[in-house]
Amino acid sequence: MATITAPQNYSRTQAEGLRLAAMISAQVNLLLADRASIKDLVMFAGDVTGSGSAAIKLRYSNYGAGNPFDAATDGAEYAAQDMEAETATITIGRSAMRYDLSDLLVMTGLGRDLDPFNIAAGLVEAAEARISEIIASTFLNSSTNKGSTGADLTLANFLDSMYALQENSNDTPFHCVMHPAQFNHLQQALRSENNNFLAFSSNTAEMARSKPQGYAGELLGVEVYKSSRVQETADTLGYHGAMFTMEGIGYGIGTPAALVGSLNEIRPAGSPVVISFQRDESKGLSEIVGHLYCGASLLEQSRVVGITTQK
């Protein structure tokens, strides 16, 4: 007859040998990041591919409303006027990102957690973030600036920026891009305002609420946006946002020519990034490389006002 034995009482130390210390999630989640793009707020100047140059030069002149007719004496000769001319240059440069995946890393993955095509999709986001960063860096070149690195952003700074654009005959819409810390300052300033002009504005109440990434709302006719791509000031004590019209800042791109017969690249629709796959057999590595050719420049100083505040 078989002997029935009592169940064994395993100790915790013994049980740990039968179980993982922690279960690893089958999905790799992206870390919190600012995924909002600001490139649609500025002017697209074009693609340098096939142009013979890595720079785009935009030309400006005063032969229109910028130079009104003069009073002239009837029957007398009127001298020819000079056409004042200015140019702005956008120089295209290279940006890149690369990840190497070993064969062992891929084969021991949980499902398709580090699938090369999932990583390629992440590279598209990284390229968009880089474009926003390049555009935001042009704010540092503004000749007209409101606020200072020694103080929080105030409603007066915001209004002064708007007034400066209006004084230069800019047409709306005005766009304001500021660092999230600057936007917090603006919300605090609105909270402390007690005048009827703002108190009875529905947009003021809406602006004071918490906001997601990107578009934050409209205040006094200005479209307000938040972006963590806004750069630090030269002294690193503050942030340098800006209020501008679309024509005040421009960006351009370059698109590499497709290799005939190449099956090892991806060109996502709506993005200038090119993602290539390369195999290094001697190391057992699959290389995923993203290429971006982009540049931006402040085009007209009279269309841009910098907003400088402390962090």
Side-chain angles (χ1 to χ4, degrees):
M1 179 179 296
T3 303
I4 301 176
T5 59
Q8 297 292 321
N9 294 320
Y10 290 103
S11 69
R12 179 179 177 183
T13 302
Q14 292 173 318
E16 285 178 349
L18 305 176
R19 293 288 185 271
L20 293 173
M23 184 191 78
I24 298 177
S25 170
Q27 177 178 339
V28 176
N29 297 305
L30 294 177
L31 291 171
L32 182 64
D34 185 350
R35 293 179 173 82
S37 175
I38 62 174
K39 76 176 190 300
D40 292 335
L41 306 181
V42 302
M43 186 178 74
F44 176 59
D47 191 326
V48 298
T49 304
S51 67
S53 174
I56 303 171
K57 181 168 286 189
L58 292 87
R59 302 172 296 164
Y60 299 89
S61 182
N62 69 341
Y63 64 81
N67 190 21
F69 272 35
D70 294 326
T73 303
D74 188 36
E77 181 179 357
Y78 181 81
Q81 301 295 307
D82 291 331
M83 290 184 185
E84 295 180 6
E86 295 182 1
T87 61
T89 303
I90 299 174
T91 302
I92 308 303
R94 180 185 179 221
S95 299
M97 179 66 73
R98 168 181 163 180
Y99 292 109
D100 291 349
L101 302 181
S102 71
D103 291 344
L104 186 60
L105 177 69
V106 174
M107 75 176 67
T108 58
L110 298 172
R112 301 175 67 86
D113 57 351
L114 290 178
D115 179 86
F117 292 98
N118 288 340
I119 295 176
L123 289 181
V124 175
E125 287 191 4
E128 288 293 318
R130 175 58 177 163
I131 295 173
S132 293
E133 190 174 76
I134 291 172
I135 292 172
S137 68
T138 66
F139 301 166
L140 299 171
N141 300 323
S142 57
S143 60
T144 302
N145 297 286
K146 304 299 179 181
S148 68
T149 56
D152 289 351
L153 174 68
T154 66
L155 186 60
N157 298 148
F158 186 89
L159 291 172
D160 287 344
S161 302
M162 184 177 72
Y163 297 156
L165 291 178
Q166 292 180 153
E167 288 171 358
N168 285 320
S169 303
N170 280 286
D171 291 328
T172 55
F174 297 164
H175 303 301
C176 182
V177 178
M178 57 182 66
H179 192 274
Q182 293 180 303
F183 182 71
N184 288 344
H185 298 166
L186 180 60
Q187 287 182 314
Q188 290 172 357
L190 289 172
R191 187 180 66 174
S192 63
E193 285 290 328
N194 57 7
N195 62 77
N196 291 338
F197 174 65
L198 290 173
F200 291 100
S201 170
S202 58
N203 287 343
T204 302
E206 181 64 27
M207 183 65 67
R209 297 176 182 173
S210 60
K211 297 294 179 182
Q213 297 175 16
Y215 181 62
E218 178 187 316
L219 180 63
L220 303 177
V222 178
E223 301 290 330
V224 180
Y225 297 81
K226 296 183 300 181
S227 176
S228 62
R229 311 304 168 190
V230 168
Q231 307 287 299
E232 292 183 344
T233 53
D235 58 11
T236 70
L237 298 177
Y239 293 112
H240 196 110
M243 188 182 296
F244 54 90
T245 63
M246 177 174 284
E247 297 82 3
I249 299 170
Y251 82 99
I253 61 171
T255 306
L259 297 176
V260 177
S262 175
L263 301 177
N264 297 322
E265 66 178 26
I266 297 175
R267 294 171 181 262
S271 175
V273 67
V274 176
I275 300 169
S276 301
F277 298 91
Q278 180 172 292
R279 180 68 181 171
D280 189 337
E281 289 293 350
S282 65
K283 297 179 180 179
L285 293 177
S286 297
E287 302 173 0
I288 307 173
V289 186
H291 308 274
L292 171 69
Y293 295 87
C294 180
S297 178
L298 195 155
L299 304 179
E300 289 188 77
Q301 289 287 354
S302 59
R303 295 180 182 270
V304 181
V305 178
I307 301 178
T308 303
T309 64
Q310 69 179 0
K311 292 183 178 179

